[in-house]
Amino acid sequence: MRLSRYLLPLLKENPSEAQIVSHRLMLRTGMIRQEAAGIYAWLPLGLRVLRKIEKIVHEEMQRAGAVELLMPTLQLADLWRESGRYDDYGQEMLRIKDRHEREMLYGPTNEEMITEIFRGTVKSYKDLPMNLYHIQWKFRDEQRPRFGVMRGREFLMKDAYSFDIDEASARKAYNRMFIAYLNTFSRLGLKAVPMRADTGPIGGDLSHEFIILAETGESAVFCHKDLVDMPAPGADVDWDDLQGLVDQRTSLYAATEEMHDEAAFNAVPADKQLSARGIEVGHIFYFGEKYSAPMGAKVSGADGSQVNVHMGSYGVGVSRLIGGIIEASHDEAGIIWPESVTPFDVALVNLRVGDEACDAACEKAYKALKAAGRDVLYHDTDDRPGAKFASMDLIGIPWQLIIGPKGIAEGQVEIKHRATGERHTAAFDAVLEQLTKAK
Ligand code: ATP
Ligand code: MG
């Protein structure tokens, strides 16, 4: 991508409405633009990151056996009357009427709709277990939209729904999502801690929020320190038997404010007690027959009887994650993208546009990097070098390839690593080879 042809509306000043660093940096780097309170347009740079996160979420969902579909954003109010949630949901739900005066709503979540799809399409226990998911925009008319994409009104969520014949099987489905979440967040460069969450009237122990620690987090959290540095299990696990891995994590204390038990926390060795603030990036929940019973989602069991399916739902805040990643990875100069979600792999900085040798070397590098499948942002405008360096640091691309007239005359270029700040000069060909070699 040539910067001269791109839309990258950088802001020099800190926008006054942004209270936390991720919101500030997302606005300053032109990733998003507010269109209404809590409603954002995703500008090209922001959309690239959103897509990279989606891709990782898709891969990890499918690795865990979930199947993608796509449900609409608009839903019929009558569907929500079946579960009893239409009246309960309150002002967070955006209610709309179509031209025939039919009551509709912009979906804040999809339990009802997926239950409707399931009951209309799946008939037998032989089709279970099943896990269906999508990544779709949600709308919640939050009382206090704030912190940019962190608490938006329109936001992108991955929501998965599991269907099982009984509770034991549902627990396995839950465990698969539990492990998939750990792997997902780890690939995004985040340390997410599963914390016990409220199960409300359903009861049981099968609800966890996945929390990343950050000073700007909205909730107070308490946990055993070892949980923070525990490595993710990875893809190479026995997906049919994950109980040991789950127990390993759930046996250590971890709870948000609402679930906090002071006495249990005090039983954690003093040097292992961590009380901090956190951002909820995911939530998994087993709720049994809560929707299947009132909505009549049944399958025939092995003995021919009709049984309500046992369900769970599993959400990831895909757009919120971008804020979370930036909170966890930035410095005074700007964002530092983890390689897995960076909008571009390499920033190619031409220090003197119009200089024949610089232009030729940059064109060569640009072509070679693209051919190798790298996403390149070619800084080809006539800004001063200082301004180019500052803006590339601000948008946080992991590698900067800097080509100037003095160096290139001797076949030398500079390479800068954004995360460490290290710069070194090396032969152009050697640098190109390093940046284009297979990952
Ligand atoms: P919160 O307590 O932050 O309001 P929630 O419990 O309402 O979250 P869920 O209904 O479990 O959230 O939704 C699944 C995920 O969607 C959450 O873990 C979070 O990452 C994300 N999410 C929820 N509300 C918002 C929002 N207003 N803006 C952005 N992401 C959100
Ligand atoms: Mg909420």
Side-chain angles (χ1 to χ4, degrees), residues 140 142 149-152 155 157 280-283 315-317 320:
R140 295 181 185 177
E142 300 273 356
V149 299
M150 210 73 100
R151 184 164 296 284
F155 60 96
M157 193 203 285
E280 180 194 325
V281 288
H283 188 179
V316 168
R320 177 182 286 185

Side-chain angles (χ1 to χ4, degrees), residues 67-98:
V67 177
E68 189 191 11
L69 47 54
L70 183 60
M71 292 176 269
T73 53
L74 295 181
Q75 309 186 20
L76 286 172
D78 279 343
L79 193 55
W80 286 64
R81 293 202 168 93
E82 289 189 43
S83 70
R85 282 210 293 181
Y86 188 68
D87 294 324
D88 291 349
Y89 213 91
Q91 293 198 302
E92 263 191 32
M93 180 183 274
L94 181 65
R95 297 160 206 255
I96 322 165
K97 273 192 187 150
D98 71 9

Side-chain angles (χ1 to χ4, degrees), residues 101-398:
E101 295 287 305
R102 245 187 312 253
E103 291 173 283
M104 305 193 75
L105 57 100
Y106 193 131
T109 178
N110 285 67
E111 279 83 3
E112 283 78 0
M113 189 176 282
I114 198 78
T115 306
E116 185 282 320
I117 291 171
F118 182 91
R119 86 179 163 202
T121 54
V122 180
K123 302 292 173 206
S124 162
Y125 75 98
K126 289 182 193 156
D127 298 322
L128 304 184
M130 185 175 282
N131 184 320
L132 301 169
Y133 82 98
H134 69 166
I135 297 181
Q136 179 60 292
W137 295 94
K138 304 288 185 283
F139 194 94
R140 295 181 185 177
D141 205 350
E142 300 273 356
Q143 185 164 18
R144 267 192 86 193
R146 58 180 184 156
F147 301 158
V149 299
M150 210 73 100
R151 184 164 296 284
R153 293 199 295 166
E154 187 182 48
F155 60 96
L156 191 59
M157 193 203 285
K158 184 285 298 179
D159 39 326
Y161 303 89
S162 64
F163 303 88
D164 285 272
I165 192 72
D166 57 25
E167 189 177 340
S169 170
R171 184 176 281 268
K172 290 189 173 176
Y174 184 89
N175 289 347
R176 282 193 289 275
M177 290 293 107
F178 190 105
I179 298 302
Y181 275 35
L182 291 174
N183 289 341
T184 303
F185 297 130
S186 156
R187 284 184 65 189
L188 299 174
L190 294 170
K191 290 177 177 172
V193 180
M195 303 202 180
R196 276 197 70 170
D198 195 4
T199 49
I202 308 281
D205 59 351
L206 291 186
S207 178
H208 287 88
E209 289 176 352
F210 287 75
I211 306 271
I212 56 175
L213 305 181
E215 280 162 32
T216 46
E218 286 188 296
S219 37
V221 299
F222 306 85
C223 72
H224 193 295
K225 272 198 180 125
D226 288 358
L227 278 172
V228 180
D229 292 313
M230 216 178 262
D236 189 20
V237 294
D238 178 359
W239 288 96
D240 293 321
D241 184 12
L242 297 166
Q243 197 60 51
L245 287 170
V246 171
D247 290 346
Q248 212 178 19
R249 282 151 179 99
T250 53
S251 58
L252 295 176
Y253 187 85
T256 59
E257 223 162 356
E258 303 93 67
M259 293 296 286
H260 187 46
D261 174 349
E262 196 69 39
F265 185 55
N266 285 332
V268 174
D271 63 328
K272 294 286 188 187
Q273 290 180 9
L274 181 66
S275 73
R277 300 199 67 80
I279 301 167
E280 180 194 325
V281 288
H283 188 179
I284 62 178
F285 194 12
Y286 167 70
F287 44 72
E289 302 169 45
K290 180 175 177 191
Y291 299 93
S292 60
M295 295 184 66
K298 295 176 195 298
V299 291
S300 59
D303 61 0
S305 64
Q306 292 286 305
V307 273
N308 292 328
V309 283
H310 289 250
M311 294 173 57
S313 75
Y314 314 89
V316 168
V318 175
S319 48
R320 177 182 286 185
L321 271 167
I322 299 187
I325 291 168
I326 297 173
E327 291 292 324
S329 188
H330 67 270
D331 62 14
E332 293 84 68
I335 302 171
I336 302 172
W337 289 114
E339 303 218 357
S340 59
V341 297
T342 184
F344 293 97
D345 302 309
V346 182
L348 174 60
V349 182
N350 186 342
L351 290 184
R352 192 166 306 157
V353 172
D355 176 276
E356 212 172 300
C358 280
D359 291 353
C362 284
E363 291 297 334
K364 179 179 169 188
Y366 185 56
K367 280 207 189 86
L369 288 163
K370 283 209 306 184
R374 297 289 171 278
D375 290 327
V376 200
L377 182 63
Y378 177 16
H379 203 324
D380 63 342
T381 73
D382 53 12
D383 290 354
R384 284 174 301 104
K388 289 188 174 178
F389 293 142
S391 59
M392 291 304 100
D393 280 353
L394 180 67
I395 68 174
I397 298 170

